[in-house]
Amino acid sequence: MRYDEATFRATHNSYEGGARGSVPRQLDRGVRFLELDVHAGDFEEHGYRIGHAGPGNAVARGLDGNPRSDRLADWLRLIAGWSAANADHAPITIALDCKSDLSDARSFAGGNLAALNALLETTLGDRLVRADALGDGPWPQLDDLRGHVVTVLSGDGDTRVAYLRDGGRMPAVALDTAGNVVEVHASRRGELWYWTGVHTGDAVTWRRHGSFGFGTRPAVRLDGEGKVLVVHEEDGRRWARTGRLDGAGEIAWERGTKQAPRDAPAPAARAEAGGRTVVVATAPDGGFDPETLLYGTGVRADRRIRYEQLAFVEAQQAPLKLGPLREPPQLLGGDQRFCAAPAGDRYARAWAEACRARGRIVRLWQVRSFDDAGDIPVSFPATDDPAAPWYERYCEKVGAVTR
């Protein structure tokens, strides 16, 4: 059986305790899907935190092996530790339900999606099943995924879209002989943003993303020793800002702007150095709008500039009374591998079952009865009481993975 063909025991709001028990207890019982609600409002002081209505809300801290904090890092380390101690377990899937809009974070230090990626790598390590490693290929057999962890972005729609694509206007790019890449662009609101990456083989691995000011028509230059010069227009004049690129791909910007030097670079959508080429552009791509940022390492820009795809992204359906407008249309109309809907709403559940019939991996949340679970066995029937007799009978009926 492949991963996408299986049904797994699953819990909703897995951190809350109560009838669920602690996270280690859930894993011991055979639960293989966990949901963690993620907040980033005070990231610079506390990092990502978990909780329902807010950071720390309804978190069963210290319960029977649970972490004593509400920091996401501690809960991910707990899961990784349990995985290491039970290395033959069926894959654990973690839904990171983003309660904050991470697309609005201005930098790695402010908790953007690059910071979330870094946390997944440091806490889960080689147990992590990377979405970009799977690509468009078929899911592996369950036995091939034993001892591994799959992560899925859920929750805030803008966050999920931002993980899949970035938008902008007037992109420009620079490249040095070591393969370092800096791309700059303007937003619709006149903000200036950058991406940094490394040219490897026939692709660029994009590492950092952030905002650094306001303006239009940006241009960028790399001097080969890590110095970055960006020039832009504002109020009819050309201005320059400088920074230094570090080994992690972050740019430490100097304070303030200066009048642009006479030899300032002109906006360029193509850069060549050390036998490498990078070209950038904007165009529609995969259902995303014409301002989607693209890049290429040859003649055409045909791949999205975006975060490394460590996690998968979930498409969701809202209850009928709210309609599909709550969900970004790019996600509903896309080809996401993961889909989710509230079990208690027949309209949303019917959409989820149709997704399951098409081979998608489907989660229903707040499953409270056989009726809530629907007519087609879904991948993750997420309940608040995984020890309830009716849930045990249901899992036995559908042949849910037991260990």
Side-chain angles (χ1 to χ4, degrees):
M1 181 181 296
R2 295 193 312 267
Y3 171 82
D4 58 316
E5 297 172 325
T7 294
F8 301 86
R9 295 169 186 262
T11 54
H12 166 249
N13 290 352
S14 307
Y15 52 85
E16 285 194 11
R20 304 167 190 78
S22 68
V23 165
R25 179 60 174 155
Q26 293 173 50
L27 292 169
D28 288 342
R29 280 185 170 275
V31 169
R32 292 295 177 265
F33 174 93
L34 301 167
E35 180 189 28
L36 303 175
D37 293 345
V38 179
H39 300 264
D42 52 1
F43 180 85
E44 293 189 17
E45 183 176 356
H46 297 290
Y48 301 110
R49 301 168 68 190
I50 67 170
H52 188 53
N57 175 249
V59 179
R61 287 171 281 198
L63 172 69
D64 194 17
N66 278 354
R68 296 184 179 278
S69 82
D70 57 16
R71 295 194 178 197
L72 175 61
D74 293 336
W75 290 74
L76 291 176
R77 290 190 187 100
L78 168 71
I79 297 167
W82 187 94
S83 175
N86 300 270
D88 195 41
H89 66 80
I92 300 167
T93 303
I94 306 172
L96 300 172
D97 191 339
C98 296
K99 299 301 186 182
S100 300
D101 180 0
L102 302 189
S103 72
D104 200 38
R106 295 295 191 266
S107 66
F108 184 91
N112 68 10
L113 285 159
L116 184 60
N117 270 349
L119 180 62
L120 295 180
E121 288 191 302
T122 56
T123 56
L124 302 177
D126 58 7
R127 298 185 180 281
L128 181 66
V129 178
R130 294 177 58 120
D132 53 13
L134 185 64
D136 296 326
W139 280 98
Q141 299 289 312
L142 274 181
D143 282 348
D144 294 331
L145 291 179
R146 289 194 177 278
H148 287 80
V149 178
V150 177
T151 55
V152 184
L153 288 187
S154 178
D156 180 74
D158 290 339
T159 297
R160 285 177 287 139
V161 169
Y163 196 69
L164 294 173
R165 56 80 75 180
D166 190 25
R169 298 177 174 183
M170 299 169 283
V173 67
L175 172 69
D176 68 18
T177 55
N180 295 304
V181 182
V182 177
E183 183 274 345
V184 292
H185 61 272
S187 73
R188 291 184 180 183
R189 296 181 294 183
E191 291 177 287
L192 295 172
W193 292 81
Y194 68 91
W195 282 93
T196 70
V198 178
H199 191 303
T200 55
D202 65 347
V204 174
T205 299
W206 299 100
R207 303 169 68 190
R208 292 290 190 266
H209 180 43
S211 172
F212 63 95
F214 291 86
T216 187
R217 288 179 50 79
V220 60
R221 175 191 292 159
L222 274 171
D223 72 351
E225 297 182 356
K227 187 175 180 179
V228 181
L229 171 67
V230 176
V231 177
H232 66 275
E233 293 183 6
E234 187 176 10
D235 298 329
R237 300 177 64 182
R238 298 191 78 202
W239 300 93
R241 190 168 185 190
T242 57
R244 185 159 295 277
L245 183 67
D246 68 21
E250 192 57 84
I251 299 176
W253 296 102
E254 295 180 4
R255 286 190 174 186
T257 57
K258 301 177 182 178
Q259 188 170 346
R262 291 184 178 182
D263 65 344
R270 182 184 183 89
E272 297 181 357
R276 302 179 178 93
T277 300
V278 177
V279 58
V280 295
T282 56
D285 185 75
F288 293 106
D289 63 64
E291 292 187 353
T292 299
L293 291 166
L294 304 176
Y295 84 96
T297 56
V299 176
R300 294 178 57 245
D302 55 6
R303 284 173 279 189
R304 294 178 210 162
I305 298 175
R306 63 182 183 179
Y307 297 97
E308 289 185 86
Q309 301 292 284
L310 305 187
F312 295 86
V313 172
E314 186 179 73
Q316 299 180 357
Q317 182 59 275
L320 178 60
K321 63 182 179 180
L322 298 176
L325 295 181
R326 285 190 62 192
E327 181 72 352
Q330 307 98 317
L331 297 179
L332 279 179
D335 193 25
Q336 307 308 321
R337 289 178 180 259
F338 288 79
C339 302
D345 184 88
R346 292 184 179 181
Y347 165 77
R349 192 173 67 219
W351 171 85
E353 290 182 345
C355 291
R356 184 62 170 156
R358 295 198 304 272
R360 303 291 188 268
I361 298 167
V362 171
R363 169 172 68 109
L364 292 177
W365 69 78
Q366 285 192 305
V367 177
R368 296 188 173 107
S369 68
F370 264 82
D371 289 341
D372 281 351
D375 298 324
I376 299 176
V378 297
S379 314
F380 308 121
T383 182
D384 293 341
D385 188 359
W390 74 264
Y391 192 73
E392 293 285 353
R393 292 196 303 273
Y394 174 79
C395 289
E396 183 176 350
K397 175 184 175 182
V398 301
V401 174
T402 57
R403 66 180 182 88

Short mmCIF file of all heavy atoms in Angstrom, two decimals, residues 369-400:
data_model
loop_
_atom_site.label_atom_id
_atom_site.label_comp_id
_atom_site.label_asym_id
_atom_site.label_seq_id
_atom_site.Cartn_x
_atom_site.Cartn_y
_atom_site.Cartn_z
N SER A 369 -18.48 11.03 14.69
CA SER A 369 -19.33 9.85 14.57
C SER A 369 -19.07 9.15 13.24
O SER A 369 -18.37 9.69 12.37
CB SER A 369 -20.81 10.25 14.64
OG SER A 369 -21.16 11.01 13.48
N PHE A 370 -19.65 7.97 13.08
CA PHE A 370 -19.57 7.26 11.80
C PHE A 370 -20.10 8.13 10.67
O PHE A 370 -19.55 8.17 9.57
CB PHE A 370 -20.37 5.95 11.87
CG PHE A 370 -19.53 4.75 12.20
CD1 PHE A 370 -19.19 4.47 13.51
CD2 PHE A 370 -19.09 3.91 11.20
CE1 PHE A 370 -18.42 3.36 13.83
CE2 PHE A 370 -18.32 2.79 11.50
CZ PHE A 370 -17.98 2.51 12.81
N ASP A 371 -21.20 8.85 10.93
CA ASP A 371 -21.80 9.70 9.89
C ASP A 371 -20.86 10.81 9.47
O ASP A 371 -20.73 11.13 8.29
CB ASP A 371 -23.12 10.30 10.38
CG ASP A 371 -24.23 9.26 10.49
OD1 ASP A 371 -24.10 8.19 9.86
OD2 ASP A 371 -25.20 9.51 11.23
N ASP A 372 -20.17 11.42 10.44
CA ASP A 372 -19.21 12.48 10.13
C ASP A 372 -18.09 11.98 9.24
O ASP A 372 -17.54 12.72 8.42
CB ASP A 372 -18.59 13.05 11.42
CG ASP A 372 -19.50 14.03 12.12
OD1 ASP A 372 -20.53 14.41 11.54
OD2 ASP A 372 -19.17 14.41 13.27
N ALA A 373 -17.71 10.70 9.44
CA ALA A 373 -16.58 10.16 8.69
C ALA A 373 -16.88 9.97 7.23
O ALA A 373 -15.95 9.82 6.42
CB ALA A 373 -16.15 8.84 9.32
N GLY A 374 -18.17 9.99 6.85
CA GLY A 374 -18.54 9.92 5.43
C GLY A 374 -18.56 8.51 4.87
O GLY A 374 -18.28 7.53 5.56
N ASP A 375 -18.90 8.44 3.59
CA ASP A 375 -19.06 7.15 2.93
C ASP A 375 -17.77 6.60 2.34
O ASP A 375 -17.65 5.41 2.10
CB ASP A 375 -20.11 7.28 1.80
CG ASP A 375 -21.48 7.68 2.35
OD1 ASP A 375 -21.82 7.23 3.45
OD2 ASP A 375 -22.18 8.45 1.67
N ILE A 376 -16.81 7.49 2.05
CA ILE A 376 -15.53 7.07 1.48
C ILE A 376 -14.46 7.23 2.55
O ILE A 376 -14.30 8.31 3.10
CB ILE A 376 -15.18 7.92 0.24
CG1 ILE A 376 -16.25 7.76 -0.84
CG2 ILE A 376 -13.81 7.54 -0.30
CD1 ILE A 376 -16.01 8.65 -2.05
N PRO A 377 -13.72 6.17 2.88
CA PRO A 377 -12.67 6.31 3.90
C PRO A 377 -11.64 7.36 3.48
O PRO A 377 -11.05 7.27 2.41
CB PRO A 377 -12.03 4.92 3.96
CG PRO A 377 -13.08 4.00 3.43
CD PRO A 377 -13.81 4.79 2.38
N VAL A 378 -11.46 8.36 4.33
CA VAL A 378 -10.49 9.42 4.03
C VAL A 378 -9.14 9.05 4.64
O VAL A 378 -9.02 8.09 5.39
CB VAL A 378 -10.97 10.78 4.55
CG1 VAL A 378 -12.25 11.20 3.86
CG2 VAL A 378 -11.13 10.77 6.06
N SER A 379 -8.14 9.84 4.30
CA SER A 379 -6.78 9.55 4.79
C SER A 379 -6.66 9.81 6.28
O SER A 379 -6.03 9.04 7.02
CB SER A 379 -5.78 10.41 4.03
OG SER A 379 -6.02 10.40 2.64
N PHE A 380 -7.23 10.94 6.73
CA PHE A 380 -7.06 11.38 8.12
C PHE A 380 -8.42 11.77 8.70
O PHE A 380 -8.83 12.93 8.61
CB PHE A 380 -6.12 12.58 8.19
CG PHE A 380 -4.80 12.40 7.49
CD1 PHE A 380 -4.43 13.24 6.46
CD2 PHE A 380 -3.94 11.38 7.85
CE1 PHE A 380 -3.21 13.09 5.81
CE2 PHE A 380 -2.73 11.20 7.21
CZ PHE A 380 -2.37 12.06 6.17
N PRO A 381 -9.16 10.82 9.30
CA PRO A 381 -10.39 11.17 10.01
C PRO A 381 -10.02 11.72 11.38
O PRO A 381 -9.83 10.97 12.34
CB PRO A 381 -11.13 9.84 10.09
CG PRO A 381 -10.04 8.80 10.08
CD PRO A 381 -8.90 9.38 9.29
N ALA A 382 -9.89 13.04 11.49
CA ALA A 382 -9.31 13.67 12.69
C ALA A 382 -10.40 13.90 13.74
O ALA A 382 -11.36 14.63 13.51
CB ALA A 382 -8.64 14.99 12.32
N THR A 383 -10.21 13.29 14.89
CA THR A 383 -11.19 13.32 15.96
C THR A 383 -10.60 13.95 17.22
O THR A 383 -9.38 14.06 17.36
CB THR A 383 -11.68 11.89 16.27
OG1 THR A 383 -12.67 11.92 17.29
CG2 THR A 383 -10.52 11.01 16.73
N ASP A 384 -11.49 14.33 18.14
CA ASP A 384 -11.05 14.83 19.44
C ASP A 384 -10.91 13.70 20.47
O ASP A 384 -10.40 13.94 21.57
CB ASP A 384 -12.05 15.86 19.98
CG ASP A 384 -12.07 17.14 19.15
OD1 ASP A 384 -11.10 17.38 18.41
OD2 ASP A 384 -13.06 17.89 19.25
N ASP A 385 -11.38 12.49 20.12
CA ASP A 385 -11.37 11.38 21.07
C ASP A 385 -10.95 10.09 20.36
O ASP A 385 -11.79 9.28 19.98
CB ASP A 385 -12.75 11.22 21.70
CG ASP A 385 -12.76 10.20 22.84
OD1 ASP A 385 -11.69 9.62 23.12
OD2 ASP A 385 -13.83 10.00 23.44
N PRO A 386 -9.64 9.90 20.16
CA PRO A 386 -9.18 8.74 19.40
C PRO A 386 -9.37 7.41 20.13
O PRO A 386 -9.22 6.34 19.51
CB PRO A 386 -7.70 9.02 19.18
CG PRO A 386 -7.31 9.90 20.33
CD PRO A 386 -8.52 10.75 20.60
N ALA A 387 -9.72 7.45 21.44
CA ALA A 387 -9.95 6.21 22.18
C ALA A 387 -11.42 5.85 22.27
O ALA A 387 -11.77 4.83 22.88
CB ALA A 387 -9.36 6.34 23.60
N ALA A 388 -12.31 6.65 21.67
CA ALA A 388 -13.74 6.37 21.73
C ALA A 388 -14.04 5.04 21.05
O ALA A 388 -13.46 4.72 20.00
CB ALA A 388 -14.51 7.49 21.07
N PRO A 389 -14.97 4.23 21.61
CA PRO A 389 -15.29 2.93 21.01
C PRO A 389 -15.73 3.04 19.55
O PRO A 389 -15.35 2.21 18.72
CB PRO A 389 -16.40 2.40 21.90
CG PRO A 389 -16.14 3.03 23.24
CD PRO A 389 -15.63 4.40 22.92
N TRP A 390 -16.54 4.07 19.23
CA TRP A 390 -17.00 4.18 17.84
C TRP A 390 -15.82 4.45 16.90
O TRP A 390 -15.81 3.96 15.76
CB TRP A 390 -18.05 5.30 17.69
CG TRP A 390 -17.48 6.70 17.76
CD1 TRP A 390 -17.44 7.50 18.85
CD2 TRP A 390 -16.87 7.43 16.70
NE1 TRP A 390 -16.83 8.70 18.54
CE2 TRP A 390 -16.48 8.68 17.22
CE3 TRP A 390 -16.61 7.16 15.36
CZ2 TRP A 390 -15.84 9.65 16.46
CZ3 TRP A 390 -15.98 8.12 14.59
CH2 TRP A 390 -15.61 9.36 15.13
N TYR A 391 -14.81 5.22 17.37
CA TYR A 391 -13.66 5.52 16.51
C TYR A 391 -12.80 4.27 16.33
O TYR A 391 -12.30 4.01 15.23
CB TYR A 391 -12.83 6.65 17.14
CG TYR A 391 -11.79 7.22 16.18
CD1 TYR A 391 -12.17 8.03 15.12
CD2 TYR A 391 -10.44 6.94 16.36
CE1 TYR A 391 -11.22 8.56 14.25
CE2 TYR A 391 -9.48 7.47 15.50
CZ TYR A 391 -9.88 8.27 14.45
OH TYR A 391 -8.94 8.79 13.57
N GLU A 392 -12.66 3.49 17.38
CA GLU A 392 -11.92 2.23 17.25
C GLU A 392 -12.61 1.32 16.23
O GLU A 392 -11.94 0.69 15.39
CB GLU A 392 -11.83 1.54 18.62
CG GLU A 392 -11.00 2.27 19.65
CD GLU A 392 -9.50 2.13 19.38
OE1 GLU A 392 -9.12 1.37 18.48
OE2 GLU A 392 -8.71 2.79 20.09
N ARG A 393 -13.95 1.24 16.31
CA ARG A 393 -14.68 0.40 15.36
C ARG A 393 -14.53 0.92 13.94
O ARG A 393 -14.36 0.14 12.98
CB ARG A 393 -16.17 0.32 15.74
CG ARG A 393 -16.45 -0.42 17.03
CD ARG A 393 -17.92 -0.77 17.15
NE ARG A 393 -18.80 0.39 17.07
CZ ARG A 393 -19.14 1.12 18.12
NH1 ARG A 393 -18.69 0.82 19.34
NH2 ARG A 393 -19.94 2.17 17.99
N TYR A 394 -14.59 2.24 13.79
CA TYR A 394 -14.44 2.82 12.46
C TYR A 394 -13.06 2.52 11.88
O TYR A 394 -12.94 2.10 10.72
CB TYR A 394 -14.67 4.34 12.52
CG TYR A 394 -14.38 5.02 11.20
CD1 TYR A 394 -15.30 4.98 10.16
CD2 TYR A 394 -13.16 5.66 10.98
CE1 TYR A 394 -15.03 5.58 8.94
CE2 TYR A 394 -12.88 6.25 9.76
CZ TYR A 394 -13.82 6.21 8.75
OH TYR A 394 -13.54 6.78 7.53
N CYS A 395 -12.02 2.71 12.67
CA CYS A 395 -10.66 2.46 12.18
C CYS A 395 -10.47 1.00 11.81
O CYS A 395 -9.79 0.67 10.82
CB CYS A 395 -9.64 2.89 13.23
SG CYS A 395 -9.51 4.69 13.43
N GLU A 396 -11.08 0.11 12.59
CA GLU A 396 -10.99 -1.31 12.26
C GLU A 396 -11.74 -1.60 10.96
O GLU A 396 -11.26 -2.37 10.11
CB GLU A 396 -11.58 -2.14 13.40
CG GLU A 396 -11.48 -3.64 13.18
CD GLU A 396 -12.00 -4.43 14.37
OE1 GLU A 396 -12.26 -3.84 15.42
OE2 GLU A 396 -12.13 -5.67 14.22
N LYS A 397 -12.90 -0.98 10.79
CA LYS A 397 -13.70 -1.21 9.59
C LYS A 397 -12.96 -0.79 8.32
O LYS A 397 -12.99 -1.49 7.31
CB LYS A 397 -15.02 -0.44 9.70
CG LYS A 397 -15.89 -0.51 8.45
CD LYS A 397 -17.13 0.37 8.58
CE LYS A 397 -17.92 0.38 7.28
NZ LYS A 397 -19.11 1.26 7.38
N VAL A 398 -12.29 0.37 8.35
CA VAL A 398 -11.64 0.88 7.15
C VAL A 398 -10.20 0.41 7.01
O VAL A 398 -9.51 0.78 6.06
CB VAL A 398 -11.69 2.43 7.10
CG1 VAL A 398 -13.12 2.92 7.13
CG2 VAL A 398 -10.88 3.06 8.24
N GLY A 399 -9.72 -0.37 7.97
CA GLY A 399 -8.35 -0.89 7.88
C GLY A 399 -7.30 0.17 8.11
O GLY A 399 -6.27 0.19 7.41
N ALA A 400 -7.53 1.04 9.09
CA ALA A 400 -6.57 2.11 9.37
C ALA A 400 -5.22 1.51 9.79
O ALA A 400 -5.17 0.45 10.44
CB ALA A 400 -7.08 3.03 10.46
#
